[in-house]
Amino acid sequence: MTFSPSRTSRPRQSVLLVLSTAVLGAVLASGCAPTAETPDSAAAASSDAVPSPSAAPSGSQDNAASLTIEHPWVKAAADGMTGAFGSLTNSGTEDLQVVAASSPAAAAVELHETVVQGDGTATMAESGDGFSIPAGDTFLLEPGANHLMLMGLDQPILAGDEISFTLTLSDGSSVEFTAPAKDFAGANESYHGG
């Protein structure tokens, strides 16, 4: 018995043609077209699909860049505590929330707000929610009103000193700035609980 090459290859060709047609039909039906990927494009696609756990949220750097601190200053003080003031401007399109502050000049920095007591007197107390800064708006930090409270000063803050600060936003991003100290006779507020 002799086998002819044309007889054995025809059934195989038919099977391959049917399988190829089925695969091509499935690809076209799904709306996808096969593409060749280089190792670089495959890596880029996978990094877009699954963000690195250590990566900052996509908008966080934009949020931090949207916050500027204008005309900052600190009340000079020999010891204990003092306040920092200025204006926080949100030039972005999303509202920002400052939730914490720190400075190497103090053991702690609190976000303080004015609280009206039952008897009508105003006192300063730590803000539970932080400072909300609407998009395109400015939030003032002023003596006798909202401010940053430096508590447990490491050393005296003298007029002319430059004090550094870090503000932390609700998305985890942060903004650093420095503020000059100056003599100021006011801002002798009473503090809730103190």
Side-chain angles (χ1 to χ4, degrees), residues 4 14 17 20 26 28 35 38 42 73 78 97 103 120 141 157 164 183:
S4 165
S14 297
L17 181 60
S20 297
L28 292 175
T35 60
T38 63
W73 64 280
Q97 187 79 15
S103 172
L141 302 175
I157 294 178
S164 60
D183 290 323

Side-chain angles (χ1 to χ4, degrees), residues 2-190:
T2 309
F3 291 100
S4 165
S6 62
R7 286 185 188 170
T8 57
S9 63
R10 237 183 227 150
R12 237 182 236 157
Q13 287 175 346
S14 297
V15 169
L16 288 175
L17 181 60
V18 169
L19 286 174
S20 297
T21 304
V23 169
L24 182 59
V27 168
L28 292 175
S30 69
C32 298
T35 60
E37 279 191 354
T38 63
D40 290 341
S41 65
S46 67
S47 69
D48 287 343
V50 181
S52 165
S54 63
S58 62
S60 67
Q61 291 307 317
D62 292 336
N63 286 344
S66 298
L67 181 63
T68 56
I69 296 84
E70 299 171 327
H71 313 294
W73 64 280
V74 177
K75 179 183 175 184
D79 58 15
M81 57 186 173
T82 191
F85 315 97
S87 57
L88 308 177
T89 299
N90 177 359
S91 61
T93 58
E94 295 181 20
D95 294 351
L96 299 178
Q97 187 79 15
V98 177
V99 295
S102 62
S103 172
V109 179
E110 294 181 355
L111 308 178
H112 277 204
E113 63 184 350
T114 305
V115 177
V116 178
Q117 301 298 309
D119 63 0
T121 60
T123 60
M124 299 293 126
E126 185 173 10
S127 171
D129 299 327
F131 300 148
S132 296
I133 310 165
D137 206 354
T138 297
F139 186 89
L140 297 177
L141 302 175
E142 301 176 301
N146 299 315
H147 62 278
L148 302 177
M149 191 71 198
L150 290 83
M151 306 176 80
L153 297 178
D154 293 338
Q155 59 188 19
I157 294 178
L158 306 175
D161 287 351
E162 290 286 328
I163 309 301
S164 60
F165 291 88
T166 301
L167 299 180
T168 303
L169 303 180
S170 59
D171 66 358
S173 63
S174 61
V175 177
E176 296 181 357
F177 69 98
T178 59
K182 66 179 188 177
D183 290 323
F184 184 72
N188 297 314
E189 301 91 354
S190 63

